[in-house]
């Protein structure tokens, strides 16, 4: 009992760090989507040009998740997370003072480089912590992401309607990063990255077919979630002419239900099995997305309701990587996140181009298609995971 108490005492400050990091990740991910109509208005750019901005952001996000995974193996969690905070703060200063579209692209790209360090830090540190259930921990950490999204969607929409400038929100984010940096400097992280003792060969990892199914599953899921975060507001604005407050309401509902789902997601995954839960939730979310788009304006409520079933997929899938790839988990996680984000990058560019060529309504079906592909990619992962477990 004494040992368990000591573990809890050591773990709760680190869990708090992970929660706070994902709050900032939520700010970065979703401010872009909320501000798309404002970026278009302030800089006089098209949907395709906004698509290029989001593509640049996702490319930097992908690249630095991979670099982050390598650096964490070499230097440990604390130094790389600190580096991510410093990079993010520099980018936020650019955004707060932004006066041109070029500076916007540069600022958002650099910001995503720093935030990538946050994401790979959370997804490699969380699974190595001494806890009763990794799925419960990762769902709870992602719960903070959803909570931040839900709050920000509603509050940001209301403040924008009152005339608050988008640069002000990045100023608030800058102060949050500074506070997190101070907290991190005072924190001790006793866990070391899982490297397999340096015995694994990276070349062998690329011959493992399971790696590519993980990349597809993560990549198309992230593409779907980013597609909603980046383009759902624009979809409601251009297709149905909803005002900022109404758009924020549906976004709040989507992320609010996702948040609610993550409170119980880890427990459901433990009860039903990780992969079975992912397949069930992915299937239901896919159906709701398709129906929500097909029904037009009246289907927005169904589309928003799909957030409940998005909730469990990503954190539970990420929590299985360490058990599947027992050597070099930090490197593999960074690699999967990088390649997955590159898929999301390509998809978001496609959505931006499709918005201008075939219209925002038909292009939004791409989101539902990505979720279906993600769910299908989990099927072979589940099959191989059963074989690995039986061995």
């Amino acid at each position: 009992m004494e040992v368990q108490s000591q573990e809890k005492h050591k773990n709760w400050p680190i869990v708090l760090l992970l929660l706070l990091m994902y709050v900032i990740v939520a700010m970065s991910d979703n401010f872009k989507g909320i501000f798309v109509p404002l970026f278009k208005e302030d800089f006089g750019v098209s949907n395709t040009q906004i698509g290029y901005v989001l593509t640049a952001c996702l490319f930097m996000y992908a690249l630095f998740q991979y670099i982050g995974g390598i650096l964490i193996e070499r230097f440990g969690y604390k130094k790389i997370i600190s580096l991510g905070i410093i990079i993010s703060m520099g980018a936020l200063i650019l955004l707060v003072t932004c006066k041109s579209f070029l500076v916007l692209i540069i600022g958002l790209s650099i910001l995503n480089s720093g935030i990538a360090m946050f994401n790979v830090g959370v997804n490699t540190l969380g699974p190595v912590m001494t806890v009763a259930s990794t799925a419960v921990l990762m769902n709870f950490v992602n719960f903070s992401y959803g909570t931040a999204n839900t709050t920000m969607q509603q509050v940001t929409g209301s403040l924008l309607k009152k005339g608050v400038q988008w640069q002000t929100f990045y100023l608030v984010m800058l102060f949050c990063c500074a506070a997190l940096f101070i907290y991190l400097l005072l924190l001790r992280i006793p866990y070391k990255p899982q490297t397999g003792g340096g015995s694994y060969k990276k070349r062998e990892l690329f011959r493992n077919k399971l790696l590519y199914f993980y990349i597809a599953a993560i990549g198309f899921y992230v593409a779907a979630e980013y597609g909603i975060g980046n383009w759902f507001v624009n979809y409601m604005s251009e297709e149905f002419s909803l005002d900022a407050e109404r758009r924020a309401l549906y976004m709040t509902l989507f992320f609010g239900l996702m948040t609610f789902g993550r409170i119980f997601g880890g427990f459901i995954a433990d009860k039903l099995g990780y992969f079975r839960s992912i397949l069930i939730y992915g299937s239901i979310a896919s159906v709701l997305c398709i129906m929500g788009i097909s029904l037009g304006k009246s289907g927005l409520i169904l589309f928003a309701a799909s957030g409940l079933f998005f909730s469990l997929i990503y954190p539970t899938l990420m929590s299985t990587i360490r058990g599947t790839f027992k050597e070099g988990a930090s490197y593999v996680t960074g690699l999967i996140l990088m390649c997955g984000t590159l898929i999301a990058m390509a998809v978001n560019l496609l959505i931006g181009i499709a918005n201008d060529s075939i219209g925002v309504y038909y292009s939004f079906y791409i989101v539902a298609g990505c979720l279906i592909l993600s769910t299908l990619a989990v099927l072979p992962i589940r099959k191989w995971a059963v074989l690995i477990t039986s061995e």
Side-chain angles (χ1 to χ4, degrees):
M1 290 295 292
E2 185 179 350
V3 173
Q4 290 179 348
S5 177
Q6 289 175 351
E7 286 294 339
K8 289 180 181 178
H9 179 70
K10 288 191 295 185
N11 279 337
W12 76 259
I14 302 174
V15 172
L16 179 59
L17 172 70
L18 300 182
L19 296 174
L20 294 174
M21 285 167 63
Y22 253 22
V23 168
I24 293 177
V25 171
M27 289 183 181
S28 175
D29 286 351
N30 291 283
F31 278 165
K32 294 192 302 292
I34 297 171
F35 298 154
V36 162
L38 300 177
F39 292 156
K40 288 162 61 178
E41 181 180 342
D42 285 1
F43 302 109
V45 294
S46 66
N47 284 318
T48 299
Q49 288 172 298
I50 290 295
Y52 292 148
V53 175
L54 300 178
T55 299
C57 291
L58 285 173
F59 177 77
M60 297 301 286
Y61 199 72
L63 179 63
F64 276 83
Q65 283 182 121
Y66 178 66
I67 293 172
I70 296 173
L71 294 177
I72 283 173
E73 279 196 345
R74 182 171 298 182
F75 299 108
Y77 298 108
K78 187 169 183 176
K79 290 181 180 178
I80 303 311
I81 294 171
S82 298
L83 177 61
I85 296 175
I86 293 170
I87 292 173
S88 299
M89 290 174 67
L92 288 165
I93 292 172
L94 279 179
L95 291 171
V96 169
T97 58
C98 178
K99 299 295 182 183
S100 71
F101 188 58
L102 178 61
V103 174
L104 178 72
I105 297 174
I106 294 171
L108 289 176
S109 298
I110 296 174
L111 176 60
N112 275 261
S113 304
I115 294 299
M117 302 288 192
F118 283 46
N119 196 39
V120 75
V122 169
N123 285 293
T124 55
L125 176 55
V128 304
M129 291 177 62
T130 308
V131 292
S133 171
T134 302
V136 172
L137 172 64
M138 295 306 290
N139 272 274
F140 184 66
V141 169
N142 278 269
F143 164 77
S144 69
Y145 181 96
T147 303
N149 277 338
T150 305
T151 304
M152 283 188 297
Q153 296 295 337
Q154 192 62 47
V155 172
T156 305
S158 298
L159 291 176
L160 286 174
K161 191 174 182 179
K162 293 178 180 178
V164 177
Q165 298 296 307
W166 58 265
Q167 291 93 337
T168 304
F169 295 93
Y170 283 120
L171 180 61
V172 172
M173 187 175 170
L174 175 61
F175 288 132
C176 291
C177 283
L180 182 64
F181 186 59
I182 295 171
Y183 177 71
L184 179 61
L185 292 178
L186 300 174
L187 186 65
R188 178 177 174 270
I189 301 178
Y191 297 101
K192 297 186 181 299
Q194 184 183 10
T195 63
S199 60
Y200 74 97
K201 295 180 180 179
K202 291 182 172 65
R203 186 176 298 176
E204 294 297 320
L205 292 174
F206 288 94
R207 295 175 181 171
N208 188 341
K209 294 180 181 178
L210 201 55
L211 172 68
Y212 300 101
F213 284 109
Y214 262 104
I215 289 171
I218 294 292
F220 285 114
Y221 172 83
V222 172
E225 188 174 321
Y226 276 24
I228 294 169
N230 290 330
W231 294 107
F232 191 29
V233 168
N234 190 63
Y235 168 71
M236 291 184 287
S237 175
E238 294 203 4
E239 187 66 22
F240 309 115
S241 301
L242 299 185
D243 61 26
E245 201 165 25
R246 288 287 302 281
R247 297 193 302 257
L249 176 63
Y250 284 111
M251 285 290 280
T252 300
L253 181 59
F254 176 86
F255 286 110
L257 288 171
M258 180 186 286
T259 301
F260 178 77
R262 283 173 175 165
I263 297 175
F264 307 103
F267 300 103
I268 292 173
D270 282 339
K271 183 72 174 178
L272 299 180
Y274 288 11
F275 294 110
R276 181 183 297 175
S277 301
I278 293 168
L279 290 170
I280 292 172
Y281 271 57
S283 299
I284 296 173
S286 298
V287 171
L288 287 174
C289 282
I290 292 172
M291 291 177 61
I293 299 170
S294 300
L295 293 173
K297 187 175 182 180
S298 60
L300 289 175
I301 187 69
L302 286 179
F303 194 91
S306 70
L308 178 64
F309 299 97
F310 271 75
S311 62
L312 175 145
I313 300 170
Y314 180 82
T316 305
L317 190 55
M318 290 302 301
S319 69
T320 66
I321 294 175
R322 181 169 173 257
T324 306
F325 299 93
K326 299 185 183 300
E327 294 185 331
S330 295
Y331 175 80
V332 172
T333 300
L335 178 63
I336 290 172
L337 289 172
M338 178 192 73
C339 295
T341 306
L342 287 174
I343 292 174
M345 178 190 75
V347 169
N348 272 267
L349 178 60
L350 177 62
I351 293 174
I353 295 172
N355 278 340
D356 286 334
S357 58
I358 63 175
V360 295
Y361 175 75
Y362 291 106
S363 65
F364 211 61
Y365 275 106
I366 295 172
V367 172
C370 287
L371 191 56
I372 293 170
L373 290 174
S374 174
T375 305
L376 291 175
V378 175
L379 288 170
I381 296 175
R382 183 192 184 194
K383 180 180 178 181
W384 270 317
V386 171
L387 294 175
I388 291 171
T389 303
S390 63
E391 292 176 358

